[in-house]
């Protein structure tokens, strides 16, 4: 039955975007109820104490994306009309 507890831990952690420690370091029997099945309330309480997963990409605050590539603080607008371009 410890395999069921491990599976339930992984499911709960994935649902909450939580990083759980390796299962080999946990006493999986403490997550089982008296009937021998995984105790979801105990598992939810444990998962709530674990840290959230870190995102793979850093969250850059204040950075703005300029979708208009032809203009910006260092790039003055350039006309695509060849007749109006400066040489």
């Amino acid at each position: 039955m410890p395999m069921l507890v491990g599976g339930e831990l992984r499911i709960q952690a994935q649902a909450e975007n939580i990083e759980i420690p390796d299962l080999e370091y946990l006493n999986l029997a403490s997550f089982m109820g008296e009937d021998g099945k995984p105790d979801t309330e105990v598992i939810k309480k444990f998962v709530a104490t674990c840290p959230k997963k870190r995102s793979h990409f850093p969250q850059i605050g204040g950075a703005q994306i300029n979708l208009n590539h032809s203009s910006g603080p260092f790039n003055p607008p350039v006309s695509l009309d060849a007749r109006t371009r400066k040489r």
Side-chain angles (χ1 to χ4, degrees):
M1 288 291 181
M3 289 179 14
L4 291 176
V5 172
E8 187 66 29
L9 274 168
R10 288 187 191 100
I11 289 170
Q12 292 292 331
Q14 185 67 29
E16 299 294 325
N17 197 26
I18 300 291
E19 187 173 331
I20 58 172
D22 289 335
L23 297 181
E24 65 186 64
Y25 300 117
L26 298 176
N27 180 10
L28 297 181
S30 65
F31 296 104
M32 294 171 57
E34 292 180 9
D35 58 355
K37 296 180 182 176
D39 188 351
T40 56
E41 292 302 317
V42 173
I43 292 173
K44 285 181 183 179
K45 287 179 185 177
F46 172 74
V47 168
T49 64
C50 295
K52 291 237 181 228
K53 287 183 182 178
R54 292 185 180 176
S55 63
H56 296 289
F57 301 104
Q59 300 298 318
I60 301 173
Q64 296 180 3
I65 299 172
N66 185 4
L67 298 177
N68 184 4
H69 298 291
S70 64
S71 66
F74 301 109
N75 300 328
V78 176
S79 173
L80 298 177
D81 186 358
R83 297 172 292 175
T84 61
R85 289 189 197 153
K86 296 179 183 177
R87 294 186 187 229

